[in-house]
Amino acid sequence: MNIHNLPEEEVLNSLLTSTQGLSDKEARRRLHEYGLNTIEEVRKKPLLRRFVSQFTHFLAILLWVAAALCFLSEYLRPGEGMLSLGLAIIAVIFINATFTFIQEYRAEKAVEELKRLLPFHVKVLRDGFLKEIPAAEVVPGDIFLINEGDRVPADARLLESSLLMVNNAPLTGESEFKPRSHEPYDGSFLESPNVVFAGTLIVSGSGKAVAFATGMSTEFGKIAHLTSAVEAGLSPLQREIRKVSRIVAIIAVTLGIIFFAIGGFIGRGFWQNFLFAVGIIIANVPEGLLPTVTLSLAMGSQRMAKKKALIKTLTSVETLGSVTVICTDKTGTLTQNKMTVVKTWTFSDGIISLPDGTKKKTYSFAMLMRIGLLCNNAFYENGIYKGDPTETAILKAARELLGDIKAERVSAIPFDSERKRMTTVNVIGNETFVLTKGAFETLLPLCDEIVEDNRIIKMSDEDKESLTRIYHSFMEEGLRVLAFAFKKTNAREAEFETEKDLVFTGFMGLEDPPRPEVPVAVAKCHDAGIKVIMITGDASKTAVAVARQVGIIKYNPVVLEGQQIDKMSDRSLRELLSSKEIIFARVTPRHKMRIVAILKDEGERVAVTGDGVNDAPALKKADIGIAMGIAGTDVAKEASDIILLDDNFATIINAIEEGRAVFENIRKFVSYIFASNIPEIVPYIAYVLFRIPLPLTILQILAIDLGTDMFPALALGAEKPSPAIMKQPPRSSDERLLSFKILSRAYFFLGPIEAFAGLYGFFYVLKLGGWQWGEMLLPHDILYIQATTACLGAIIITQIGNVFACRSFKESVFRLGLFTNKLVLLGIAMEILISFFIIYHPFGNKIFGTAPLNPDVWLVLLPFSILLLAAEEIRKVYVRIFL
């Protein structure tokens, strides 16, 4: 579209409108044709579908199958407690689904938030009369008025403008406010100064514009389409839990089939073998894993919230801990988004760093500050500086040095993007001055003299070369540089002719200072093996300077701007992304999306920070989207997974540390939970092979998985990060949550000790009661009930030793400190209380088929807990020395 190239008359003709605006009838017709000026929802997952999805992931399906097998067993052989077990498993699925759904209810609302950025009412011309209408009713061809503080309702071409400045940062990511004018422009449409975009803010001035795009046809609408069309995909933890579930399913079904065949081989009947196989499968399924993982992630999210990182989706807790690349924007994330004058230069004084060295009051320095004070549209009111950030910074610096100056502004030539300068005519005392500030390259050709000490001398070629060197040195420091000039005049009106024969006065260098805590945070990223890539809408020189200040780059980085990215193939861009140091400047939302997509294709786990509307698609596409809570737009917050409540880049590092700890802690309690699978399985195997009474009932397995194991497992989820966790590289994408080492430790080392303890307790009670080998006991025989209770008690007491063993895979629990994780002690206390209810309370006895045990039984079982802990300590010594 070339609407920005056309003069006003042709603009109106092309949109079939006039200076009087549309008629009400024509506006209604166009509203019917083009639709409401709103952001449509392209793709949204219905609320009900989100809830249902909590019941259909792989681990939930595994539990559904286990529940179905329970019901089938109850149907074939009623009265063995399988119905209660099936109902309990379904209850676990529903409780977990509801909890997770509530936690993630507020996620994925980016499109709705985009709508909120549009103003509610707009002043438009209809039939030559000004009227106020809802923003949703603006149509192409409508002429509307905009003033300071307004949000633009639609993409529009300016027809009139007066000192108009806009803030495009939410759309483009650029930190500088942009002047707007209504003159035709021959350059790029997106960079045209005569176009204002929907949702952007009018910072100052006023104007009249004609809408040419509304709703989904606006630039905002295109971003909304891009954002809502992005599929976030599964998080690393979700993929890992799916793999764990498949491993569990394979193990359970394989063992079920094997022992079904063994039972048939030794002469057991089909249905008896089938029910036994069902028991084996159910004993292998860790019913407590799903709620334990969910609750552990919730605890992690609460800890992150205390560190100023708000988690929106539970799996984001762990995902953040696995990131290998952080793509961060600059303004407001690495920097304070606050312009400050930090350096000045004059011929007489050289470079002066503010506020230091400001006691010098040479004529040239005082004149530089006077121009900054008077050639300025910012103002000071009620203790607050108001206006454009650059001008307020200059005003603040000048006012603090000179105070207020009595002067009358008689005329002005406003700043515009072509001239890149601003000029005012001011009367100071009995003298009239032309005061000009602007870009060095446009101001230097207008100057033929320079201030030296208190004299004004002719500017030589050597002076121009010196000025150019100073200018570039300021730029290389990442400063925004403005030049200042003046001359005395008799004219009262500012005309373009007054901008000549000026006296060059000096430079001011402004910076948006980095946040002081960012360099330390970036250094921690590097120590942790995490690559940091800056992606900004600002200029490349500024980006490089800031990146160097905060430590993102140290050597000679690869620097790419958006126009270069457009010309590159994915293969070329992929090669450059492998560079050790790389910075992207002048990028658009699509550039950012493309960068993130390629990084993910390369196997990187990508975190993206952002605060603007332009960041929303990339935030959603990334493995982990991190939005700024203070400066961020609602769109960015809703498209993200994590919101930084303090807009502090350092908070990301704290959250990454927490995320890494969460993954390690999940492995710890997975190991803890899986260790109890073996003592749940072995009794069934012994029951089939040796024709003994079944040592452990199905409901007693449930008492362990969803009762006594739960609280210690959750306590392991609260284990503090080890000091070395941020000195290690991100874990490999090949590293499994349930690795062979973890599985073998649980199944072939800790589990057999617990199984031996369980069977020992079972036979100990039977022998005390006079049982003889080969004697089959009835399910309601008190001796049999006490013996199964002893087996249950042995598993519980060895799991108490196991929870200490699982606090670290390498470090001795005595080095960690037995009492450093108080939640473990609380978890054990809860485990003991639940055990007393199950074993000694009549109601617990009735539910779980248990009976009270004598103290001597506990004395026999206690050494097994100590044995397990001692064996694990010996294993850790071997690991520390030899592995």
Side-chain angles (χ1 to χ4, degrees):
M1 191 171 188
N2 297 321
I3 196 166
H4 61 295
N5 300 135
L6 306 177
E8 177 181 334
E9 186 177 348
E10 292 185 37
V11 169
L12 296 174
N13 289 338
S14 67
L15 293 169
L16 301 178
T17 186
S18 70
T19 55
Q20 302 298 304
L22 300 173
S23 66
D24 284 332
K25 181 179 179 181
E26 176 62 15
R28 284 194 298 270
R29 187 194 69 78
R30 294 192 185 191
L31 188 62
H32 179 75
E33 178 182 352
Y34 295 102
L36 291 172
N37 180 32
T38 56
I39 304 300
E40 299 171 5
E41 298 171 0
V42 177
R43 182 182 299 174
K44 181 183 177 184
K45 198 173 183 180
L47 209 58
L48 180 61
R49 188 178 164 193
R50 293 185 193 180
F51 184 62
V52 170
S53 67
Q54 303 297 333
F55 297 90
T56 56
H57 55 78
F58 197 86
L59 187 52
I61 291 172
L62 189 59
L63 293 179
W64 281 116
V65 172
L69 291 174
C70 290
F71 295 141
L72 178 60
S73 299
E74 178 68 22
Y75 175 74
L76 296 174
R77 291 184 65 175
E80 294 191 354
M82 300 299 280
L83 176 62
S84 300
L85 178 59
L87 292 174
I89 291 173
I90 290 177
V92 167
I93 297 171
F94 269 90
I95 291 170
N96 183 78
T98 303
F99 181 80
T100 304
F101 176 75
I102 291 172
Q103 289 286 322
E104 299 181 359
Y105 177 72
R106 296 189 308 124
E108 311 304 335
K109 292 183 180 178
V111 174
E112 289 86 345
E113 293 301 328
L114 277 166
K115 293 179 182 178
R116 297 183 190 180
L117 285 179
L118 295 180
F120 293 109
H121 290 87
V122 184
K123 293 177 180 178
V124 300
L125 282 173
R126 293 279 172 86
D127 291 318
F129 295 98
L130 197 63
K131 64 184 299 186
E132 197 170 87
I133 64 170
E137 295 179 9
V138 172
V139 296
D142 259 329
I143 295 176
F144 57 85
L145 305 185
I146 44 178
N147 294 283
E148 182 176 335
D150 289 344
R151 284 198 181 274
V152 180
D155 288 357
R157 163 66 191 273
L158 288 169
L159 303 176
E160 297 177 9
S161 61
S162 175
L163 303 177
L164 194 63
M165 298 281 286
V166 297
N167 180 3
N168 285 339
L171 184 64
T172 66
E174 294 185 17
S175 58
E176 297 178 9
F177 296 167
K178 298 292 185 181
R180 302 284 93 169
S181 67
H182 57 277
E183 300 297 329
Y185 179 73
D186 292 330
S188 166
F189 166 71
L190 290 176
E191 296 179 358
S192 175
N194 60 29
V195 174
V196 288
F197 297 103
T200 56
L201 181 68
I202 303 301
V203 178
S204 62
S206 60
K208 182 189 291 186
V210 56
F212 61 80
T214 59
M216 295 300 290
S217 297
T218 63
E219 293 302 309
F220 260 57
K222 293 171 186 175
I223 292 177
H225 185 283
L226 191 62
T227 303
S228 59
V230 172
E231 291 289 347
L234 294 176
S235 74
L237 181 63
Q238 288 171 322
R239 291 193 292 269
E240 282 301 302
I241 290 176
R242 175 183 285 186
K243 289 171 184 173
V244 168
S245 305
R246 287 173 177 167
I247 292 171
V248 170
I250 291 169
I251 292 173
V253 173
T254 301
L255 287 176
I257 293 172
I258 289 172
F259 286 100
F260 179 86
I262 292 173
F265 180 74
I266 63 177
R268 287 181 176 269
F270 175 83
W271 289 113
Q272 190 178 17
N273 273 336
F274 178 77
L275 293 174
F276 165 71
V278 169
I280 285 284
I281 291 171
I282 291 171
N284 266 285
V285 175
E287 291 86 359
L289 179 60
L290 189 60
T292 306
V293 168
T294 302
L295 290 172
S296 179
L297 292 173
M299 291 166 64
S301 71
Q302 291 171 4
R303 291 194 297 271
M304 283 190 181
K306 291 178 182 178
K307 295 180 179 180
K308 304 297 184 182
L310 178 64
I311 307 298
K312 293 176 58 187
T313 53
L314 286 183
T315 53
S316 303
V317 176
E318 183 278 331
T319 307
L320 184 58
S322 70
V323 299
T324 57
V325 177
I326 299 176
C327 295
T328 177
D329 58 357
K330 178 184 71 69
T331 305
T333 307
L334 300 175
T335 67
Q336 300 176 30
N337 199 17
K338 185 169 62 176
M339 297 297 289
T340 308
V341 179
V342 293
K343 284 187 177 182
T344 64
W345 180 92
T346 61
F347 197 100
S348 303
D349 303 295
I351 296 175
I352 296 178
S353 297
L354 301 183
D356 298 331
T358 55
K359 292 182 179 180
K360 294 185 178 182
K361 296 292 183 180
T362 61
Y363 176 78
S364 54
F365 182 78
M367 197 65 206
L368 177 71
M369 289 299 164
R370 181 181 293 181
I371 300 168
L373 187 71
L374 299 178
C375 183
N376 200 316
N377 287 329
F379 58 95
Y380 180 75
E381 183 178 72
N382 298 324
I384 300 173
Y385 290 93
K386 298 181 179 180
D388 172 78
T390 300
E391 294 209 317
T392 56
I394 294 171
L395 178 66
K396 185 174 185 293
R399 188 173 178 276
E400 287 178 355
L401 289 168
L402 300 183
D404 292 318
I405 296 177
K406 291 184 178 181
E408 177 190 0
R409 179 186 294 187
V410 293
S411 63
I413 305 174
F415 179 91
D416 68 60
S417 57
E418 289 186 6
R419 293 170 51 254
K420 295 183 179 180
R421 59 183 180 271
M422 170 186 180
T423 295
T424 61
V425 177
N426 297 76
V427 177
I428 306 173
N430 296 322
E431 297 179 306
T432 304
F433 290 87
V434 173
L435 308 176
T436 303
K437 76 171 189 293
F440 173 67
E441 63 269 21
T442 66
L443 195 60
L444 184 63
L446 306 177
C447 301
D448 56 9
E449 293 178 311
I450 191 168
V451 181
E452 181 184 355
D453 295 328
N454 294 325
R455 299 179 300 123
I456 296 175
I457 62 174
K458 198 72 174 176
M459 184 186 293
S460 66
D461 291 339
E462 290 79 7
D463 290 333
K464 291 181 180 180
E465 290 176 3
S466 177
L467 292 176
T468 303
R469 284 195 301 270
I470 295 296
Y471 170 70
H472 284 297
S473 70
F474 274 36
M475 287 286 288
E476 287 167 2
E477 294 180 38
L479 302 181
R480 185 181 182 194
V481 188
L482 291 180
F484 296 77
F486 77 98
K487 71 175 180 181
K488 292 183 180 180
T489 182
N490 294 322
R492 302 282 295 182
E493 294 295 327
E495 298 178 354
F496 291 112
E497 289 76 22
T498 64
E499 293 181 327
K500 63 180 183 179
D501 302 327
L502 299 177
V503 180
F504 191 91
T505 309
F507 293 114
M508 284 191 191
L510 300 91
E511 74 168 357
D512 180 6
R515 293 176 176 274
E517 63 280 354
V518 168
V520 174
V522 171
K524 285 185 178 180
C525 278
H526 292 159
D527 289 342
I530 300 169
K531 186 176 183 178
V532 182
I533 299 175
M534 181 191 288
I535 304 178
T536 179
D538 278 341
S540 57
K541 279 192 176 181
T542 303
V544 168
V546 172
R548 201 174 294 281
Q549 288 174 18
V550 300
I552 290 176
I553 61 172
K554 296 180 180 179
Y555 308 105
N556 295 317
V558 175
V559 182
L560 289 177
E561 294 198 348
Q563 293 178 347
Q564 295 170 283
I565 297 172
D566 287 331
K567 299 174 183 177
M568 297 177 68
S569 65
D570 283 355
R571 182 177 178 180
S572 299
L573 185 55
R574 184 176 289 110
E575 290 175 357
L576 285 176
L577 278 168
S578 65
S579 304
K580 188 174 182 180
E581 295 180 346
I582 186 166
I583 290 175
F584 294 95
R586 296 295 189 196
V587 296
T588 66
R590 285 179 177 79
H591 294 142
K592 200 167 187 176
M593 273 278 290
R594 186 180 172 199
I595 293 164
V596 172
I598 290 175
L599 285 169
K600 289 187 70 175
D601 289 344
E602 287 296 289
E604 303 285 358
R605 279 151 289 172
V606 186
V608 172
T609 70
D611 55 8
V613 175
N614 63 309
D615 295 317
L619 287 171
K620 192 170 180 182
K621 177 69 175 176
D623 292 299
I624 194 83
I626 307 169
M628 302 299 111
I630 299 173
T633 62
D634 289 337
V635 180
K637 293 173 189 175
E638 292 304 323
S640 65
D641 304 293
I642 293 178
I643 299 172
L644 300 183
L645 301 179
D646 56 359
D647 285 14
N648 190 339
F649 184 85
T651 301
I652 300 174
I653 310 309
N654 294 333
I656 286 175
E657 183 177 26
E658 189 66 52
R660 288 188 174 189
V662 164
F663 183 81
E664 283 302 306
N665 291 344
I666 289 175
R667 295 180 85 170
K668 291 171 187 175
F669 68 64
V670 164
S671 176
Y672 171 81
I673 289 171
F674 273 61
S676 66
N677 274 10
I678 296 300
E680 292 170 357
I681 296 167
V682 168
Y684 276 85
I685 297 172
Y687 167 68
V688 169
L689 296 181
F690 304 114
R691 293 186 178 275
I692 60 172
L694 182 63
L696 196 68
T697 68
I698 292 290
L699 281 176
Q700 287 167 354
I701 291 174
L702 183 69
I704 297 168
D705 289 349
L706 294 178
T708 59
D709 271 2
M710 287 288 289
F711 289 99
L714 286 174
L716 287 172
E719 197 70 38
K720 291 181 180 179
S722 68
I725 201 166
M726 290 302 287
K727 299 292 185 181
Q728 301 167 357
R731 71 174 188 274
S732 167
S733 57
D734 297 328
E735 188 176 348
R736 300 277 71 88
L737 179 64
L738 188 60
S739 64
F740 178 75
K741 287 183 179 179
I742 301 294
L743 197 61
S744 60
R745 176 175 175 271
Y747 275 14
F748 304 131
F749 183 63
L750 300 177
I753 296 174
E754 294 190 14
F756 181 76
L759 290 178
Y760 187 89
F762 178 71
F763 287 116
Y764 176 80
V765 171
L766 285 182
K767 285 296 182 181
L768 283 180
W771 175 80
Q772 298 295 319
W773 191 272
E775 180 184 352
M776 299 304 293
L777 300 174
L778 295 174
H780 301 295
D781 191 311
I782 186 62
L783 179 61
Y784 173 71
I785 294 174
Q786 284 184 323
T788 60
T789 306
C791 182
L792 171 66
I795 297 172
I796 292 171
I797 203 167
T798 50
Q799 281 288 83
I800 291 176
N802 189 23
V803 74
F804 285 110
C806 288
R807 285 188 60 194
S808 173
F809 294 118
K810 292 183 179 180
E811 292 296 321
S812 168
V813 68
F814 301 104
R815 183 178 296 179
L816 293 174
L818 289 172
F819 308 108
T820 50
N821 187 344
K822 294 180 180 178
L823 284 179
V824 165
L825 302 178
L826 180 61
I828 291 172
M830 293 299 298
E831 184 176 21
I832 292 171
L833 285 175
I834 294 170
S835 301
F836 267 87
F837 169 76
I838 293 170
I839 296 173
Y840 291 102
H841 196 282
F843 192 57
N845 295 159
K846 185 177 180 181
I847 295 173
F848 297 101
T850 54
L853 296 174
N854 294 326
D856 65 298
V857 177
W858 293 110
L859 290 175
V860 168
L861 298 178
L862 182 60
F864 287 101
S865 184
I866 298 171
L867 173 65
L868 182 144
L869 183 57
E872 175 64 5
E873 286 295 309
I874 293 170
R875 186 198 67 82
K876 289 178 181 177
V877 171
Y878 175 81
V879 169
R880 290 197 298 271
I881 294 175
F882 297 105
L883 299 179

